Amino acid sequence: MDDKAYLQELISQGEHSQQDFKYKVEDAPKLARSVSAFANTGGGRLLIGVRDDGEIAGVRSEEEIYMMHKAAYKYCRPEADINFKTCHADGRTVVIATIPPATAKPVCALDEQGESTAYVRVRDENIVASPVLIEMWKQEQRQENMMPYTDTESNLMEMMRLNPHQPLQVISKIAHIKRFIVIKILARLIRYDIVAWEYDGEDFLFSLR
């Protein structure tokens, strides 16, 4: 398959949870959000030089690769892995930047002030990660394998059975359990595949499986 056919095949998929189009790259901190989101989720690729409507606009590959390196290595903590492939079609160049899932999560994007934020990829959007997901990743890094089961866990799960698809703050309020404790318990329950999360366009919702 030549470059043009390969690009057309990718573009035909549109933007989704593992693919994003970038017309051009001018803002490394903003680009770092996409790198963070892909690294924290299932990995993904950026097609740089492709407009939102799928039209191939082309780029200057050296400049785009430099900016991607800057986003991944200067504006991500920890640094994110990234690989590049350059494709040519109709005299135009498209850079495909592939970001694999991170082994150490969360990967956070830094803004110009040095503030760090972790993102996840939901459908075709980069979303600020829930504190529950951040706690889950931290537990994974600490290799916490114990799952305490006290009255607190039991009461929380019963409340969730009666009130499915609720955001963190509502779960904490209804269960009468402090927010930081709910975060830790939900993170463990997700890791053990007892609780599922979803994003409804406004907030992260949690339910028993």
Side-chain angles (χ1 to χ4, degrees):
M1 184 182 296
D2 62 19
D3 281 2
K4 183 175 180 179
Y6 177 61
L7 282 173
Q8 288 176 337
E9 180 179 310
L10 294 182
I11 291 169
S12 69
Q13 299 174 17
E15 294 181 306
H16 53 74
S17 62
Q18 293 187 298
Q19 180 165 282
D20 199 4
F21 299 159
K22 294 292 183 185
Y23 166 45
K24 55 185 176 180
V25 175
E26 297 178 323
D27 186 337
K30 184 177 181 180
L31 188 63
R33 300 175 193 172
S34 293
V35 177
S36 166
F38 283 135
N40 288 331
T41 316
R45 60 179 168 261
L46 291 162
L47 273 58
I48 306 168
V50 177
R51 298 180 188 273
D52 288 343
D53 62 3
E55 179 187 351
I56 296 176
V59 294
R60 295 180 179 178
S61 57
E62 296 84 0
E63 294 179 9
E64 310 304 321
I65 290 174
Y66 167 75
M67 193 65 73
M68 284 296 305
H69 270 283
K70 191 174 179 181
Y73 302 135
K74 180 178 179 180
Y75 287 100
C76 282
R77 291 291 182 275
E79 293 180 355
D81 291 332
I82 191 165
N83 301 298
F84 299 97
K85 175 182 174 67
T86 301
C87 293
H88 306 279
D90 298 329
R92 294 172 179 166
T93 299
V94 172
V95 175
I96 302 175
T98 302
I99 300 98
T103 55
K105 302 176 184 177
V107 171
C108 295
L110 304 179
D111 62 20
E112 293 287 6
Q113 288 71 46
E115 296 293 325
S116 63
T117 305
Y119 292 83
V120 291
R121 185 77 174 175
V122 180
R123 293 178 288 278
D124 61 350
E125 294 184 89
N126 303 324
I127 307 296
V128 176
S130 164
V132 175
L133 298 182
I134 293 173
E135 172 61 23
M136 179 187 71
W137 295 325
K138 290 179 177 179
Q139 289 180 12
E140 290 173 344
Q141 293 302 310
R142 295 194 297 264
Q143 297 183 338
E144 289 187 12
N145 296 317
M146 297 298 293
M147 178 65 195
Y149 192 77
T150 66
D151 288 344
T152 301
E153 282 79 13
S154 177
N155 293 338
L156 179 63
M157 291 174 66
E158 177 62 14
M159 187 284 300
M160 293 181 69
R161 184 183 70 81
L162 298 173
N163 301 274
H165 306 291
Q166 297 296 334
L168 171 62
Q169 60 270 24
V170 173
I171 293 173
S172 176
K173 183 176 181 180
I174 296 177
H176 303 292
I177 302 173
K178 291 182 178 179
R179 184 175 181 273
F180 79 93
I181 296 176
V182 174
I183 289 172
K184 291 182 179 294
I185 295 174
L186 287 178
R188 292 193 194 103
L189 293 174
I190 292 172
R191 290 179 62 216
Y192 282 88
D193 207 28
I194 297 170
V195 163
W197 66 269
E198 61 185 295
Y199 184 75
D200 69 350
E202 295 183 0
D203 211 339
F204 287 86
L205 307 180
F206 303 92
S207 299
L208 292 178
R209 290 190 178 275

